[in-house]
Amino acid sequence: MLAPVLVTPPAERLLSLDELRTQCRRLPGEDDAALGAAGYAAEDVLDGPAGMLSRALVAQTWREWFPSFEAVRLGLAPVVSISQVAYLDEAEVEASLDDAAFRLERHADAARIVAATGANWPTTAIRADAVRVDYVAGYGSALSVPSGIRRAALMLAAHFYDHREAVALDARAPSEFPLG
């Protein structure tokens, strides 16, 4: 399978600057750029297919390719909706699959599309990218993300803010920060 590609990023960030200021005990205008950078870094560590959670946090649109309809297991959870399913037919001409031809099956940490009752999958070209699925994944708004995940992101951002270098120089000996 090919790696998922972000089509539309979240409309808002997971952590607001106000939340970061509160977590790091800073006043408005006091080191906002560094706070924002720490928040972005924490979000990058947790969000998306490369993130530690392997899930989408704030709603975003992703695109994935599959070799056939039987192989369509979407890589990010929670899946909110399918935007489009397209495929390359035997002549390698792109066509869109009608929404009535499939349904979305959601599970706690996975989702897939399956043929609708009475429908059959069309024949596709024999290629690794024969089927393309665009879908929206995430919890919705930033405030809809589970509180445990939001708390972990805040703690991680504060760690990045407080420890901007990988090594702390001490008079006795340098020491490495675990998340530096």
Side-chain angles (χ1 to χ4, degrees):
M1 276 188 272
L2 303 171
V5 172
L6 181 63
V7 175
T8 307
E12 61 181 322
R13 301 309 301 201
L14 176 62
L15 304 173
S16 72
L17 197 50
D18 286 339
E19 290 173 303
L20 292 164
R21 283 186 195 119
T22 300
Q23 180 70 22
C24 296
R25 297 177 180 92
R26 294 290 173 251
L27 297 171
E30 184 182 0
D31 221 5
D32 284 354
L35 286 168
Y40 290 150
E43 187 174 344
D44 285 346
V45 166
L46 299 174
D47 190 44
M52 290 174 69
L53 302 176
S54 297
R55 44 195 319 111
L57 300 179
V58 179
Q60 50 202 269
T61 303
W62 286 87
R63 175 172 291 155
E64 289 191 61
W65 293 267
F66 303 91
S68 69
F69 283 105
E70 286 77 23
V72 176
R73 284 175 179 56
L74 303 173
L76 291 170
V79 174
V80 176
S81 64
I82 303 295
S83 305
Q84 182 185 33
V85 177
Y87 65 97
L88 297 173
D89 66 16
E90 291 176 293
E92 297 197 5
V93 174
E94 185 173 297
S96 288
L97 192 63
D98 185 74
D99 290 349
F102 67 91
R103 63 185 171 81
L104 175 63
E105 258 187 16
R106 292 176 245 215
H107 303 284
D109 289 327
R112 65 185 184 142
I113 59 169
V114 296
T117 304
N120 293 313
W121 293 126
T123 305
T124 62
I126 299 173
R127 296 173 43 145
D129 62 349
V131 177
R132 185 188 81 229
V133 180
D134 291 1
Y135 62 99
V136 177
Y139 294 98
S141 71
L143 293 177
S144 299
V145 175
S147 60
I149 294 173
R150 290 180 52 73
R151 185 74 189 132
L154 278 168
M155 292 171 66
L156 189 57
H159 175 84
F160 288 155
Y161 177 77
D162 289 340
H163 306 287
R164 299 178 203 185
E165 305 296 332
V167 175
L169 297 179
D170 187 311
R172 292 166 275 155
S175 62
E176 185 176 337
F177 287 113
L179 295 174

